[in-house]
Amino acid sequence: MSGVSTQTQVAPASQGVSWRSIAASIGMMPLLLLALIVLFGLLEPRFVSEANLFNLTRQSTYLIIVCVAQFLILITGGIDLSVGSNVALVSVVTATVMKYMLGIDPEAVSWAVTVAIVSGVLTGAGVGLFNGLGVALFRVTPFVMTLGSLSIASGLALYISGGYSISGLPEQFGNVLAYDSVYGIPVPILYAAVIVVLTYVLLSWTRFGRYFYAIGSNFKAARLSGVRTSLNQVFAYVVAGTIVGIGGVLLTARTESGEATLGGTDLILNSIAACLIAGVSLTGGRGLLRNVVMGAIFITALSNGMNLLRVNSYLQTIIIGAVLVIAIAVDQMRDSNRNR
């Protein structure tokens, strides 16, 4: 009897352990991304062509950069609704400064490009600092604070540009930041890889990363344990704003013009959706950077596949919104199960 009972108890466990171990080790995000690629590959063979996959990788780099910034804010228990307008403001400032510098000395192209890039990145960091001070010092909720920043940054971008595209940027700017390649790898992919690696080091190998997770998990407990919560919140928003600034400069180089509508609401929606699909919690304190990168690729692949299938652009927006709602619902169910 004992031998039979032991055998019947061990057999089911041995059959299910492989799937559970796989899910536990790699998570669901790689499986979701693989399923999406297989689905679109069956529906449209061009999706899995070498040219399209290369184009997909290149397209996803910009969303990956913004998603990394959104991820830093989400794990501290906040949210950044200003990423799209921040990108637009960075784009306009970068183009305006570059045109101004070239107006002073048309021959100093390298100097104009360098000053413009620094100005754009500092603009992004400034928006992040503004958000961080409002959240950490004045205790404005992240949703309201970044919603206000969205309006302010968008208004500034339109005011500076006058609502017009700032074109005529030097070719060197677009080549160095958007169209050149190193050993066949487009430079935007390299820039995104550097940002991801540096963010991983920040989160995994410094005390700031541990503090970010601690603040998002339990703000009061983190403060009582000696964590300087306000300082670390401001730092998180500044780092995120700097990353968005870099992304805005790269997008400006890609379009070769300063656009007051460059970011838009799509960037906000897609960055939040990618993070939530990747398992990042809206309440903070939980999420993996590698999954966020795959989440950004997932959203880009979803849009790319729908374009190849000629899905109406308005319907695509509905589908992305539905994906976001589903991701939020799944996140809430995970929290409920964890609490139980």
Side-chain angles (χ1 to χ4, degrees), residues 65-75 78-83 240 243-244 267-268 271-273 275 280 292:
I65 292 172
V66 177
C67 284
V68 169
Q70 189 71 256
F71 172 59
L72 288 174
I73 303 304
L74 286 172
I75 61 175
I79 192 170
D80 192 352
L81 301 178
S82 66
V83 290
I243 293 173
V244 173
L267 200 56
I268 305 170
S271 65
I272 296 175
C275 287
V280 181
V292 171

Side-chain angles (χ1 to χ4, degrees), residues 2 25 57 80 86 127 133 177 181 190-191 204 243 279-280 282 295 302 305:
S2 61
S25 60
T57 304
D80 192 352
N86 194 0
V127 174
L133 291 175
L177 296 181
S181 60
L190 298 177
Y191 295 136
S204 303
I243 293 173
V280 181
L282 270 176
L302 181 61

Side-chain angles (χ1 to χ4, degrees), residues 266 269-270 302 306 311-326:
D266 288 344
L269 177 65
N270 290 343
L302 181 61
M306 289 189 294
V311 177
N312 185 279
S313 59
Y314 301 126
L315 184 58
Q316 290 187 32
T317 304
I318 295 174
I319 293 173
I320 296 293
V323 169
L324 177 59
V325 171
I326 294 171

Side-chain angles (χ1 to χ4, degrees), residues 54-127:
F54 181 81
N55 182 51
L56 175 62
T57 304
R58 187 170 185 167
Q59 286 178 344
S60 63
T61 55
Y62 305 99
L63 182 58
I64 288 173
I65 292 172
V66 177
C67 284
V68 169
Q70 189 71 256
F71 172 59
L72 288 174
I73 303 304
L74 286 172
I75 61 175
T76 63
I79 192 170
D80 192 352
L81 301 178
S82 66
V83 290
S85 56
N86 194 0
V87 165
L89 180 59
V90 167
S91 177
V92 169
V93 168
T94 301
T96 302
V97 170
M98 198 177 306
K99 296 278 285 188
Y100 176 78
M101 295 294 294
L102 289 173
I104 296 176
D105 186 359
E107 301 300 323
V109 177
S110 298
W111 176 246
V113 170
T114 301
V115 173
I117 292 173
V118 172
S119 300
V121 174
L122 289 178
T123 298
V127 174

Side-chain angles (χ1 to χ4, degrees), residues 9 50 83 137 157 166 227 231 234 251 255 260 266 276 316 331:
Q9 290 174 2
E50 182 179 352
V83 290
L137 298 184
I166 305 173
V227 176
L231 178 62
V234 172
L251 279 169
T255 59
D266 288 344
L276 294 182
Q316 290 187 32
D331 178 66

